[in-house]
Amino acid sequence: NKMADKTNCLLGMALAMQRLKLSRACSCAAMLLCHRVMGSPLAAELDIELVEITSIYLACKCCEELQDLRNIITCFMRELRPEAGVLRIGSDYQRMFNSVVACEQLLLRLLNFDLDLTTAHKELLHFLRALASFPVFRESSDDTQLRKVGQLAHTFASDIYHSPVCTQLSSSELAVAALVVATHMCSLSLPDQWWHAFVPISEDALLSFSSALSSLYAANRPAPAPQDGASGERVEDEEVEQGQGGLVVSGGEG
């Protein structure tokens, strides 16, 4: 099972992290680390399952959400091969344990010991507070619209870590791009290119972000059941909501 096999957008890895009850930020950091390894010149020679387990292990250390390696291996294998049951301590487990420890050292060298795994979530909160001062929100006594924008942006900022695009943009660019897409989906009346007040992000970067989200949601959208008289069309808001239910990052907060 080589690194060239990238079929599930790290969904199995994300489900394992949900089982471990990791925070959203830690889960995204693990996927960011995994994507960085996938983009390295030696990626084709690595085992994707082993890299995913090791990425979770390293991210937990970096985010100070320490998990026993046995728990990580067990949760990952239960998601990958549920029919195999619980992984018992024995020769198979010890071999996997030793492989993860060796892979950890390999990944550290591969990344030149650069473990900056800052995700978009903290900066997104700062940008949301700044956005709240815009007239469209400040002059309204109802904060429903702002909360909807925040929820959508948080979803987009998390789901983008299923895509390699998360390695191509900085955390601040990812945060503001998520906010731009969310405000667009809510059809808000804002100044032209208002996001430059936060981050001078390029149009190409925004396009890459939105295209990656569209591809992720399209790949994970279940086929609709046929209905008599239905047109088969979906409204735009329903398409956004697919991001909240179609991809799994973590059940935790943060």
Side-chain angles (χ1 to χ4, degrees):
N1 189 6
K2 297 298 183 181
M3 186 65 73
D5 181 17
K6 304 173 184 177
T7 57
N8 67 353
C9 299
L10 306 183
L11 184 57
M13 179 182 177
L15 289 169
M17 292 187 289
Q18 186 181 54
R19 186 183 288 271
L20 287 164
K21 295 181 170 57
L22 301 184
S23 71
R24 189 168 302 218
C26 184
S27 298
C28 290
M31 289 190 284
L32 173 61
L33 179 59
C34 194
H35 279 300
R36 286 175 61 190
V37 175
M38 286 179 178
S40 70
L42 297 179
E45 304 301 320
L46 301 176
D47 186 304
I48 187 170
E49 295 171 8
L50 186 57
V51 169
E52 289 179 350
I53 295 173
T54 309
S55 295
I56 297 173
Y57 186 48
L58 270 174
C60 287
K61 288 183 178 181
C62 293
C63 297
E64 299 184 353
E65 296 186 26
L66 298 183
Q67 290 278 342
D68 187 82
L69 182 51
R70 180 188 175 190
N71 289 342
I72 295 174
I73 293 173
T74 300
C75 289
F76 187 89
M77 298 308 293
R78 286 184 70 180
E79 291 298 337
L80 190 68
R81 301 186 185 93
E83 71 284 353
V86 177
L87 181 64
R88 305 287 182 184
I89 293 181
S91 58
D92 289 343
Y93 167 77
Q94 194 60 50
R95 187 162 46 250
M96 176 69 77
F97 184 96
N98 293 338
S99 296
V100 173
V101 172
C103 187
E104 179 184 18
Q105 298 303 312
L106 176 62
L107 262 58
L108 287 171
R109 292 194 296 271
L110 200 62
L111 299 171
N112 294 319
F113 293 88
D114 177 9
L115 290 179
D116 180 8
L117 300 178
T118 304
T119 60
H121 300 86
K122 285 186 178 179
E123 286 172 282
L124 177 59
L125 288 176
H126 293 310
F127 293 156
L128 272 170
R129 292 190 185 104
L131 191 66
S133 66
F134 280 43
V136 67
F137 299 115
R138 192 178 64 247
E139 295 170 3
S140 174
S141 58
D142 185 3
D143 66 348
T144 302
Q145 209 168 32
L146 182 61
R147 284 191 286 108
K148 182 178 179 181
V149 168
Q151 289 168 354
L152 285 175
H154 200 260
T155 296
F156 297 152
S158 297
D159 284 351
I160 197 62
Y161 286 93
H162 287 261
S163 166
V165 168
C166 69
T167 66
Q168 299 164 15
L169 303 177
S170 68
S171 58
S172 58
E173 288 175 326
L174 292 172
V176 80
L179 206 50
V180 169
V181 176
T183 54
H184 175 73
M185 299 305 296
C186 293
S187 302
L188 295 179
S189 178
L190 293 168
D192 290 341
Q193 298 189 331
W194 56 267
W195 51 88
H196 285 302
F198 301 154
V199 175
I201 187 171
S202 69
E203 295 291 338
D204 287 343
L206 288 174
L207 181 60
S208 295
F209 183 95
S210 58
S211 297
L213 280 182
S214 296
S215 297
L216 285 170
Y217 296 157
N220 287 276
R221 182 184 302 130
Q227 297 179 1
D228 293 339
S231 64
E233 296 178 353
R234 295 170 61 89
V235 298
E236 206 169 32
D237 280 350
E238 290 175 336
E239 207 163 301
V240 173
E241 289 170 2
Q242 179 63 31
Q244 296 172 310
L247 296 178
V248 179
V249 174
S250 171
E253 293 300 326

